[in-house]
Structures are given as structure tokens and as C-alpha cells.
Amino acid sequence: METSLLLTLLLAPFAGFLFNIFFGKKVSRNISGTIGTIAVAVSFIVSLNFFFQINSTKQPILVDLFQWMTLGNFNVNFSFLLDQLSVLWLLFVTGIGTLIHIYSISYMHDDENLNKFFAYLNLFIFFMIMLVVGSNLLIMFIGWEGVGLCSYLLIGFWYKNQDYNDAAKKAFIMNRIGDLGFLVGVFILGYLFNSIDFATMKTAIASGQSVDLGWLGFATLCLFIGASGKSAQIPLYTWLPDAMAGPTPVSALIHAATMVTAGIFMITRLNFLFDLTPDVQMIIAVVGAVTSLVAAFIALVQNDIKKVLAYSTVSQLG
């Protein structure tokens, strides 16, 4: 039952993406938008179900689909973890996502590529759910890269304007800088623990397994660089104000509510690693505080309302 519900949660937006990308042009605009919205609403209903279940049982749900890869002692399972943290984030992603899909039906009504817009939005929700519910860093990384791709597609959605294309490329490239840091951190953690599964790493630390704190500190610093790229922290913050060039629903969904919080989610998910590296925690605190203040001061002198919102978002993320 839980496996079926989880697959429904994950695959409903992907089904909406497939429908709109292949059949969206052949049906009316309203149907295209309605199918895309219903797909995300289904995920929201399933998220609510998991929320109430975990709230009552206080037990996390692990859904293990299959063993993905094995290299000596190193195993990666294609599995998903639903606990209080991931379910809370699911409510953000699917709840706000549903509202913005509804708004987009009328906002994008006259756009000739309406079906493509809803396809990209649905694909974004699919990858964001995967990022949130993945039980290991590799599945999180699939979602991480996927939301970056969808961000690029949606910022440059009105591709006939070269400024929008430039903003999309800037966001894509600056996110790749952060993603390289994320990958290096994943490789180091895989080397240290022979696993990149959250529960396995947490158990290893709780059981007193000796870990090279120097390498662990470097790994958490690399992960924070990844978080800085995705969550627009200094110095990787300049892409977010430019990203507001995309359609307003994109700015609302991706660059104010969901994707930019992925870095914060990742650090919260791996809090048991960051607790062992107080020097990196200090760096995070300083970068967050500086970002918060600098972005707030920049927002004070902006004339464009979307730029004000963008710098406000950067400040809040800090």
C-alpha cells in the first residue's frame, strides 16, 4: 500500500509531463492546464495522507524499490524515505505547486506554448519530490540536477528575448559550480562511510565509528558550496535576481518557494554530519548572516518589484 502511494506521489506529476509534452498541442488549452494541475493535486493529496500517517505513528516510512548498484562493499538502493522532515517539505512543494498551477492556467492562457509550460512545471515538481524523498545522496542528486534543468527551461521559456536566454544560462552555469561541490562532498562521504544512505551514515556515527574529521569537514564544506549555489548564498547569489526574467508563476514556484530551499533542506537532512564539524557550521552561520544583510540592503535600492522580491528571497534564505 505504502509503495503504491509513494509511486503515485512521484509519478503523477511525471504522467502530467508526458501527457502535456506529447498530447498537449492536440487538446484544448484548458484541458492541458487542467491535466497538469490535477497531476500535482494528486501528489498533494497523497502527501497529506503521509503527513497524517507519520504524525500519528511517529515512525518514518522507508520504501525500498530495488538494489541500484553494488561496488565491493559499497551499495546504493533505489529507495525513498518519508519522515517528518521530508513530509513537511512535500506539503510545501505539492501544496504551493498546486496553487501556482491553478494560477498559471489563466496567467499563461494566451501563450502559444502553454502545454510546454505545464509540462516543464510538472517535470519540476517530479524532480523536486525525488530530491525531497530520496533516502540517499545519489537519488537526492538526481532531483537536484533535475530541478536545475527545469529552472533553466522555465527561466528561458520566452526564448525570443535574448536577455531571458542570458538569465537562464547564468542560472544554469552558477548552479553547476555549486553542483560540483555537492558531487565532491558525495564522493568523500562514500569513501568515508562506504555508503551514501542517510540512515546508514547516521547509524555509523551513533555507534561510534571512527571518522577522519578532517575529510568529513572538507566533505561538509563541499556540500555547503552546493547548497550555496542552489539557495543563492554569497558569492553564488547573482543568478537569482536575473532568474526573475521568467514568467511570474515560475518566479513564484521555483525561485521563491521550492527549488531555492533545496540547499537548506540538504543541510537539515545531513545535520548529524554538520554537528561533527563546528568550523563548517561557523562558516555557514557567517555566510548566512552576511547574505541576509547584504541582500536586504541591495533590495532597498531596487526599482523593479520583481528584483525587490528576488533580493528579499536571497535575504530570507540567508
Side-chain angles (χ1 to χ4, degrees), residues 222-293:
C222 289
L223 289 171
F224 176 60
I225 291 169
S228 297
K230 197 65 81 187
S231 294
Q233 300 298 288
I234 284 175
L236 300 175
Y237 73 98
T238 55
W239 67 269
L240 186 57
D242 290 358
M244 293 296 177
T248 298
V250 174
S251 305
L253 177 63
I254 297 182
H255 305 120
T258 52
M259 186 186 91
V260 288
T261 60
I264 294 159
F265 173 81
M266 184 258 286
I267 288 177
T268 310
R269 170 63 81 199
L270 296 171
N271 66 82
F272 55 90
L273 297 178
F274 287 91
D275 283 345
L276 299 175
T277 54
D279 292 343
V280 176
Q281 283 186 314
M282 180 57 70
I283 291 170
I284 293 172
V286 170
V287 171
V290 170
T291 303
S292 182
L293 289 170

Side-chain angles (χ1 to χ4, degrees), residues 123-132 142-144 146-147 150:
L123 188 64
F124 169 81
I125 297 287
F126 165 73
F127 279 124
M128 194 68 203
I129 292 172
M130 183 171 278
L131 186 158
V132 167
I142 294 172
W144 191 273
V147 294
C150 293

Side-chain angles (χ1 to χ4, degrees), residues 167-188:
K169 285 186 282 189
K170 183 177 183 179
F172 194 75
I173 292 166
M174 291 192 79
N175 270 280
R176 295 295 74 74
I177 296 168
D179 294 350
L180 178 61
F182 187 108
L183 259 186
V184 172
V186 172
F187 290 145
I188 295 170

Side-chain angles (χ1 to χ4, degrees), residues 17-151:
F17 159 73
L18 292 176
F19 175 84
N20 272 317
I21 209 76
F22 290 116
F23 307 110
K25 280 281 187 190
K26 298 171 185 174
V27 297
S28 73
R29 292 170 179 274
N30 286 338
I31 291 176
S32 183
T34 303
I35 294 289
T37 305
I38 289 171
V40 183
V42 167
S43 291
F44 177 59
I45 292 166
V46 176
S47 299
L48 277 175
N49 176 72
F50 280 127
F51 174 79
F52 290 123
Q53 182 178 339
I54 290 169
N55 195 40
S56 61
T57 64
K58 302 293 188 287
Q59 294 298 317
I61 299 166
L62 181 67
V63 177
D64 201 346
L65 295 182
F66 55 87
Q67 190 172 58
W68 189 4
M69 59 179 79
T70 305
L71 297 166
N73 295 327
F74 181 79
N75 297 311
V76 179
N77 288 347
F78 204 86
S79 54
F80 300 97
L81 175 66
L82 287 153
D83 58 5
Q84 289 172 319
L85 177 65
S86 58
V87 169
L88 179 66
W89 239 266
L90 278 179
L91 293 179
F92 291 152
V93 173
T94 57
I96 294 172
T98 302
L99 294 175
I100 290 171
H101 273 70
I102 293 169
Y103 174 67
S104 299
I105 293 173
S106 58
Y107 185 88
M108 300 294 289
H109 187 265
D110 296 326
D111 196 285
E112 58 182 346
N113 293 315
L114 179 85
N115 66 302
K116 200 184 290 184
F117 182 79
F118 275 98
Y120 293 161
L121 279 187
N122 280 174
L123 188 64
F124 169 81
I125 297 287
F126 165 73
F127 279 124
M128 194 68 203
I129 292 172
M130 183 171 278
L131 186 158
V132 167
V133 300
S135 72
N136 60 61
L137 282 164
L138 204 52
I139 294 178
M140 181 186 275
F141 188 71
I142 294 172
W144 191 273
E145 288 297 300
V147 294
L149 169 67
C150 293
S151 173

Side-chain angles (χ1 to χ4, degrees), residues 288-311:
V290 170
T291 303
S292 182
L293 289 170
V294 169
F297 282 124
I298 295 173
L300 289 174
V301 294
Q302 296 299 314
N303 297 320
D304 182 346
I305 187 67
K306 288 184 84 173
K307 285 284 174 71
V308 174
L309 291 170
Y311 282 110

